[in-house]
Amino acid sequence: MKSVLVRLLIALCLIHSFSAGAVDVGNLRYDLNDSNLTATVSGLVGGSGAASGSLDIPEYVEYIGKKYSVTAIGEDAFSGYSHFTGSLTIPNSVTAIGNNAFSGCSHFTGSLIIPNSVTTIGDNAFSRCSRLSNNLIIGTSVVTIGKEAFSGCSGFSGNLSISESVTTIDDGAFDGCNHLSGNLTIPNSVILIGVRAFYGCSGFKGSLAIGNSVTTIGVGGFGGCSGFTGSLTIPESVTTIGSSAFSGCSGFTGCLTIGNSVVTIGVGGFGGCSGFTGSLTIPESVTTIGSSAFSGCSGFTGSLTIPESVTTIGSSAFSGCTGLTGSLTIPKSVTIIEGSTFYGCTGFTGSLIIPDAVTTIGDFAFGYCSGLTGGLTIPNSVITIGKDAFYGCRGFAGNLTIPNSVTTIGTEAFYGCTGFTGSLTVPNSVTEIGAYAFGGCNGFAGTLVMGESLQTVAGNAFYGCSGLTLLKSLNPIPPEMIRSNDGVFDLGVSFNLPLFVPDESVGKYKSSKGWKKFYTILGFGNNLVDKLIYKIIPGGGDDGGDVVKVVDGHPDQDGILIIPEEIVMDGKKYPVTEIGDEAFNARTDIKKLIIPISVVKIGDEAFSNCTKLHEVIAADDVKTLSCGDDAFKGVPIKTLYLGRNTTGKPFAGNSSLTDLTFGKMVSAIGSGDFAGCGSISNITVLNPVSPTLPDDGFEQSVYKIAKLSLPDEKIDDYKAAPGWKLFFYIRGIDEIMPVAVVIEVTDTELIEGQTTTVRAVMTPENVTDKTVTWGTSDPKVADVNASGLVTAVKPGMAIITAT
């Protein structure tokens, strides 16, 4: 133990021989080194309370006959000495300024000159010396500018010159020096620009030149430096551009050139740099583009090139880059398109190419990219289409193809994409469609098919899809309808569209919440032609051929429902022979009904409770029209033209009927056929041979008040005929007006320059004036002359009318 103590005493003696320790000379305290006669300033005699005025640090200090060179200002030497109110002078003998040496000396004034002898400026050396003003001159020997060395020195208003000796500008070195002005040149000697090194230095008013030795620009390196002007070139030496490195540098006015060595562009790297112009080319060395990397860079005026080397594009990476033009191609190496990646990039004027590698299209990914054109094909790799992914992309003009890989289509995913055309198929893989997912997509036309795996459809998913004419749901289990805020689920413009479902599921859909609102729900065994829905009856014709019956459908825009004599499906003609049970039950959009000669049967309750149906015309024919129970029950028919015999007493009980015409082929009126029709005031019979009429064919009051009009030459015959002789008022027919005009050819296709002649057939045939006026809905597509000769002018569709 004694030998150890001896050795310790020897060591202490050795240390004492090389250092004079802390001494006070004048108003300063020093640590002296006897071995090399150097001195380090360690503080102020009397502490911070003794600080006042200026601080002038000498080059030499004498102590006990020795002269020491002042070579360093120690750590924390004057930290927090806020009572200095004058200038600060550092002598040329100093080579190192320690950490926190002058930190918080917030009342020093005047310029600060770091002498050429200094090689190291420590961390926080001058941080928060906020009243130092005018120039900051850094000597030519400085190698390292420490972390936050000048952080918060907001009073400097002159130029900043960094010498070629500097290799490191550490984190926050000039953070908040927001009044430094002029250009900023980072010399070729600098390797590292640290995190927030120049953050908030908004006073610079010139160009920024970055030396060709810099390898890293740290997070927020130049963030908020809004005064830089001109172009910006990132040198070839740089491999990493940190997050927000140039965020908010809105003053740049030229091109942005990124060197071929950059691997990573950090989060917000150039966010808010709105002055860049020209095209933007990401070099082939880049693998990662961070979130908001170019967000708000609205000045670009050219194309965007993203190389195949890029594997990650962060959220909002290019959001708000409104001037980028041309097509947009996502590289094949990218697997996820993050949220808002291209949000608001309204300038794109070409197509959008999404590669097969992409699995997710994030929320708002392409929202408001309104200039993208052409159709859109979602690749087979995509699983999720996020909410608002393509919101407002109204420039698309073609088909939308969604692959079988997609399982979710988010809220408002395609809202406002008005340019999509053609039909829309939601594939079998999709399980969820968000609210307003296709809202406002009024360009879709024809059929909407919803796949067999669909489980939920949110409110207004297809709101405003006014071009749709037919809906198909392939899921045998009705998907859940999730209501919107106003409690309305709108598929297209209304629930008037026919909905086709699996045959065995019709009942389920008719009783399911939401779906049961559709007026027409039918199994897949039915077919839509124009606005009417038909079911094929194999071998149902008189000759054993296939015929069809009408099971549902819609009238034209004027409320006129015309049942055609035949239809064409898949190139084959089918006679229309029947109107099915409850086919148009309780419909309020039908005002007038025209029944052709081909129809021989009207089913039970086919038109019952059609409360707006006021006129019915059954064309002339020898075949009897068989009507089921209550076929027209509750229908307020006022005008009725019967061109043939009927069975089933379809119009009995109609108290609204006032005008009744029997065509020339009507040969019999049955007992009670018009029982309860007490309002009939005008009856016209066109058959020169009086049809059989029992005494109870009409109400007794009708015989007394109704005017009976007959062929002039047959009045006497009718006056003697059973039943007819009971009428009090019998007169001849002075003028026979047409009841209906039907064009023989309803639909036809012509090649430009070809012609066809159409003929108008009037009901009844013996009208007094058979003059017809021909018209066309679009003479630029098809013209028609006074004789019904139609000439094709150019491709398109035109409706030919006869009045």
Side-chain angles (χ1 to χ4, degrees):
M1 291 295 293
K2 291 182 179 179
S3 62
V4 172
L5 289 172
V6 171
R7 288 173 182 171
L8 286 173
L9 290 171
I10 294 172
L12 289 171
C13 292
L14 289 172
I15 292 171
H16 182 72
S17 68
F18 285 99
S19 174
V23 298
D24 295 337
V25 179
N27 65 340
L28 295 179
R29 181 165 292 160
Y30 300 91
D31 289 326
L32 305 180
N33 190 315
D34 286 341
S35 63
N36 56 12
L37 296 178
T38 60
T40 298
V41 179
S42 60
L44 186 69
V45 176
S48 62
S52 65
S54 298
L55 175 61
D56 190 354
I57 297 173
E59 288 190 38
Y60 299 96
V61 61
E62 294 186 5
Y63 184 72
I64 312 178
K66 293 183 180 180
K67 190 175 184 181
Y68 296 84
S69 176
V70 178
T71 59
I73 301 169
E75 291 187 10
D76 300 305
F78 301 97
S79 179
Y81 285 28
S82 60
H83 296 297
F84 286 122
T85 56
S87 59
L88 170 63
T89 301
I90 300 172
N92 286 322
S93 58
V94 172
T95 60
I97 301 172
N99 297 340
N100 300 298
F102 298 96
S103 174
C105 293
S106 57
H107 285 75
F108 276 130
T109 59
S111 299
L112 175 61
I113 300 173
I114 306 298
N116 292 334
S117 56
V118 173
T119 60
T120 302
I121 301 173
D123 298 345
N124 291 289
F126 297 91
S127 66
R128 293 177 286 115
C129 291
S130 57
R131 295 195 182 184
L132 287 170
S133 59
N134 298 324
N135 297 320
L136 169 60
I137 299 174
I138 298 176
T140 58
S141 299
V142 172
V143 176
T144 300
I145 301 174
K147 294 179 180 179
E148 301 187 25
F150 298 95
S151 173
C153 293
S154 57
F156 291 124
S157 58
N159 295 333
L160 172 62
S161 177
I162 301 173
S163 68
E164 292 285 345
S165 60
V166 174
T167 62
T168 301
I169 302 173
D170 219 327
D171 298 349
F174 298 93
D175 187 344
C177 294
N178 56 13
H179 287 90
L180 287 170
S181 62
N183 301 325
L184 175 60
T185 299
I186 307 299
N188 291 331
S189 57
V190 173
I191 298 172
L192 172 68
I193 299 173
V195 173
R196 296 174 64 99
F198 294 91
Y199 188 85
C201 293
S202 57
F204 291 119
K205 300 298 180 185
S207 61
L208 170 63
I210 300 175
N212 56 21
S213 295
V214 173
T215 60
T216 301
I217 301 173
V219 173
F222 297 93
C225 294
S226 57
F228 288 129
T229 60
S231 300
L232 174 62
T233 299
I234 307 298
E236 297 288 337
S237 56
V238 173
T239 61
T240 301
I241 300 172
S243 301
S244 303
F246 297 91
S247 176
C249 294
S250 57
F252 289 120
T253 55
C255 296
L256 170 62
T257 303
I258 301 173
N260 286 320
S261 297
V262 173
V263 176
T264 301
I265 301 173
V267 174
F270 297 92
C273 294
S274 57
F276 287 129
T277 59
S279 298
L280 173 59
T281 299
I282 308 298
E284 293 184 357
S285 56
V286 172
T287 62
T288 301
I289 301 173
S291 300
S292 302
F294 297 93
S295 177
C297 293
S298 57
F300 289 121
T301 54
S303 59
L304 170 64
T305 302
I306 304 174
E308 293 295 332
S309 59
V310 172
T311 59
T312 302
I313 303 175
S315 60
S316 301
F318 298 93
S319 65
C321 292
T322 57
L324 290 171
T325 62
S327 298
L328 172 59
T329 300
I330 309 298
K332 296 178 182 178
S333 48
V334 172
T335 59
I336 297 176
I337 302 174
E338 299 280 1
S340 301
T341 300
F342 297 95
Y343 180 82
C345 292
T346 58
F348 288 123
T349 53
S351 56
L352 170 62
I353 306 298
I354 301 174
D356 286 337
V358 171
T359 60
T360 301
I361 300 174
D363 298 348
F364 292 98
F366 299 94
Y368 286 111
C369 289
S370 57
L372 291 170
T373 60
L376 174 61
T377 298
I378 307 296
N380 289 322
S381 54
V382 172
I383 298 171
T384 301
I385 301 174
K387 69 178 182 180
D388 298 283
F390 296 92
Y391 187 105
C393 292
R394 61 180 182 271
F396 288 123
N399 294 329
L400 169 63
T401 302
I402 302 174
N404 278 318
S405 56
V406 173
T407 61
T408 301
I409 300 174
T411 300
E412 298 181 336
F414 296 94
Y415 187 93
C417 293
T418 57
F420 285 131
T421 57
S423 58
L424 173 62
T425 297
V426 178
N428 290 332
S429 55
V430 172
T431 60
E432 177 183 350
I433 300 176
Y436 289 96
F438 298 93
C441 294
N442 56 19
F444 287 126
T447 302
L448 165 64
V449 179
M450 293 172 281
E452 61 188 20
S453 299
L454 188 60
Q455 297 175 10
T456 58
V457 184
N460 299 298
F462 298 93
Y463 179 83
C465 294
S466 55
L468 296 174
T469 57
L470 183 146
L471 311 176
K472 288 185 178 180
S473 179
L474 304 183
N475 194 339
I477 300 174
E480 179 186 2
M481 282 191 180
I482 301 174
R483 293 187 175 187
S484 60
N485 291 334
D486 60 4
V488 176
F489 182 86
D490 186 313
L491 275 173
V493 292
S494 71
F495 287 96
N496 287 329
L497 298 180
L499 171 64
F500 287 85
V501 301
D503 291 336
E504 71 278 10
S505 301
V506 172
K508 294 178 181 178
Y509 276 83
K510 285 186 175 181
S511 61
S512 179
K513 182 179 178 181
W515 299 104
K516 64 183 178 182
K517 291 184 179 181
F518 284 92
Y519 296 145
T520 304
I521 301 178
L522 300 162
F524 289 139
N526 300 289
N527 302 273
L528 176 69
V529 178
D530 294 331
K531 290 187 175 183
L532 298 182
I533 299 169
Y534 303 88
K535 190 175 187 66
I536 297 175
I537 305 174
D542 293 339
D543 58 357
D546 296 343
V547 296
V548 295
K549 68 176 177 180
V550 182
V551 295
D552 210 319
H554 295 277
D556 64 19
Q557 60 185 5
D558 295 322
I560 302 174
L561 177 61
I562 301 175
I563 308 297
E565 289 189 39
E566 66 179 14
I567 60 170
V568 178
M569 293 188 298
D570 299 326
K572 182 179 178 180
K573 293 183 178 180
Y574 295 87
V576 180
T577 63
E578 185 178 341
I579 300 173
D581 295 344
E582 301 183 16
F584 299 94
N585 180 281
R587 294 292 293 277
T588 59
D589 54 348
I590 303 173
K591 299 177 182 179
K592 181 176 180 179
L593 169 65
I594 299 176
I595 304 169
I597 60 175
S598 60
V599 171
V600 296
K601 181 179 178 181
I602 299 177
D604 296 344
E605 301 184 42
F607 296 95
S608 65
N609 298 311
C610 289
T611 56
K612 298 296 179 64
L613 178 54
H614 299 302
E615 183 177 2
V616 175
I617 299 170
D620 295 342
D621 197 64
V622 295
K623 292 178 290 187
T624 297
L625 180 61
S626 174
C627 299
D629 294 341
D630 299 325
F632 290 92
K633 183 179 180 180
V635 179
I637 300 171
K638 295 181 179 180
T639 303
L640 174 62
Y641 179 91
L642 282 180
R644 59 182 121 165
N645 295 340
T646 61
T647 63
K649 299 179 174 56
F651 306 104
N654 190 325
S655 60
S656 299
L657 183 60
T658 58
D659 294 278
L660 173 61
T661 300
F662 295 104
K664 64 180 180 179
M665 294 183 181
V666 175
S667 60
I669 298 170
S671 174
D673 275 2
F674 293 93
C677 300
S679 298
I680 297 175
S681 57
N682 292 290
I683 300 175
T684 301
V685 184
L686 302 178
N687 194 340
V689 178
S690 61
T692 59
L693 174 63
D695 292 350
D696 62 351
F698 294 99
E699 293 288 318
Q700 292 302 309
S701 60
V702 172
Y703 290 115
K704 296 178 180 180
I705 64 172
K707 297 179 177 63
L708 176 62
S709 300
L710 305 167
D712 291 357
E713 70 279 8
K714 298 296 180 179
I715 291 178
D716 291 339
D717 293 343
Y718 272 82
K719 285 183 176 181
W724 301 107
K725 64 184 180 181
L726 298 177
F727 282 93
F728 285 12
Y729 300 100
I730 300 177
R731 64 181 181 179
I733 301 173
D734 297 324
E735 182 177 8
I736 301 175
M737 298 295 292
V739 177
V741 180
V742 179
I743 299 176
E744 280 190 330
V745 180
T746 55
D747 293 284
T748 190
E749 292 186 4
L750 299 175
I751 299 174
E752 185 176 330
Q754 286 187 340
T755 62
T756 187
T757 300
V758 293
R759 188 171 71 90
V761 178
M762 296 186 186
T763 301
E765 292 184 354
N766 61 337
V767 296
T768 304
D769 185 358
K770 294 188 177 182
T771 303
V772 173
T773 301
W774 293 97
T776 175
S777 64
D778 192 346
K780 294 181 180 180
V781 173
D783 197 12
V784 60
N785 67 11
S787 301
L789 180 67
V790 180
T791 302
V793 179
K794 70 173 186 179
M797 184 185 77
I799 299 173
I800 306 300
T801 57
T803 304

